[in-house]
Amino acid sequence: MYELNLPTFNIRLGGTREKPEIFDFLRGRFVKLTPEEWVRQHFVHWLVEHKGYPKGLLGNEIELQIGEKKLRCDSILYDQQAHPRMIIEYKAPTVALSQKVFSQISAYNLLLHVDYLIVSNGLQHYCCHMNYAQNSYDFLQEIPDYQTI
């Protein structure tokens, strides 16, 4: 797999050579190992192990529904009352973080109305803080620690 701009962790691989899998510690099961999943697993481990995010408040592959259309958020951070606070969108390391990616996560936020949006391809990470009172957002210099959000 790809070397990322994220710390390594105790990676548990499974499956076969033809169908490799990686253990998702949030879902508690092995999932198909894709380049995007490689980024997701590194990122959520970094949030929990290095940024202090509670494992129990994070969820992977969260389904949303708009009418008949179903969408799937890569990861969501919830608060203690189970309200979404942050949406995280992952791309493979070979995918540029373009306006299309930001439009995708913004569409999810129309439903969830969270405080923070993050996009990462494992090499670059962008985080913005939403300011709904002023109908604006600010890009942050770094991903905040859990205690500061």
Side-chain angles (χ1 to χ4, degrees):
M1 272 290 147
Y2 300 92
E3 187 171 330
L4 304 176
N5 185 17
L6 292 163
T8 190
F9 62 97
N10 185 18
I11 300 166
R12 292 178 51 197
L13 298 175
T16 64
R17 182 183 278 296
E18 297 78 27
K19 294 184 179 183
E21 296 178 329
I22 189 167
F23 188 76
D24 182 335
F25 82 125
L26 296 183
R27 291 181 268 184
R29 63 181 171 89
F30 282 92
V31 296
K32 183 178 178 182
L33 177 56
T34 63
E36 183 178 305
E37 192 63 45
W38 183 251
V39 172
R40 180 194 340 262
Q41 293 307 315
H42 277 78
F43 203 91
V44 295
H45 276 270
W46 176 62
L47 289 177
V48 171
E49 296 168 9
H50 298 272
K51 295 298 227 172
Y53 285 66
K55 176 183 168 186
L57 297 181
L58 285 163
N60 284 339
E61 291 286 323
I62 305 301
E63 190 173 280
L64 305 174
Q65 190 161 346
I66 305 174
E68 297 296 315
K69 187 173 183 175
K70 291 183 180 182
L71 305 172
R72 194 173 297 271
C73 288
D74 288 337
S75 295
I76 295 179
L77 171 72
Y78 298 93
D79 64 16
Q80 296 289 341
Q81 291 74 42
H83 299 117
R85 294 269 337 265
M86 178 184 287
I87 303 170
I88 310 167
E89 179 65 27
Y90 310 104
K91 296 297 177 193
T94 56
V95 175
L97 298 179
S98 64
Q99 181 59 49
K100 184 178 177 182
V101 177
F102 287 95
S103 296
Q104 179 183 2
I105 198 169
S106 295
Y108 300 154
N109 198 36
L110 290 174
L111 292 171
L112 298 178
H113 208 72
V114 299
D115 298 323
Y116 295 90
L117 301 176
I118 295 176
V119 295
S120 176
N121 64 4
L123 303 174
Q124 297 176 296
H125 326 292
Y126 295 99
C127 178
C128 62
H129 179 252
M130 306 303 294
N131 183 334
Y132 295 103
Q134 296 182 5
N135 202 23
S136 66
Y137 56 89
D138 297 308
F139 277 94
L140 306 179
Q141 292 296 316
E142 61 183 42
I143 309 296
D145 291 338
Y146 180 75
Q147 294 80 358
T148 64
I149 63 167

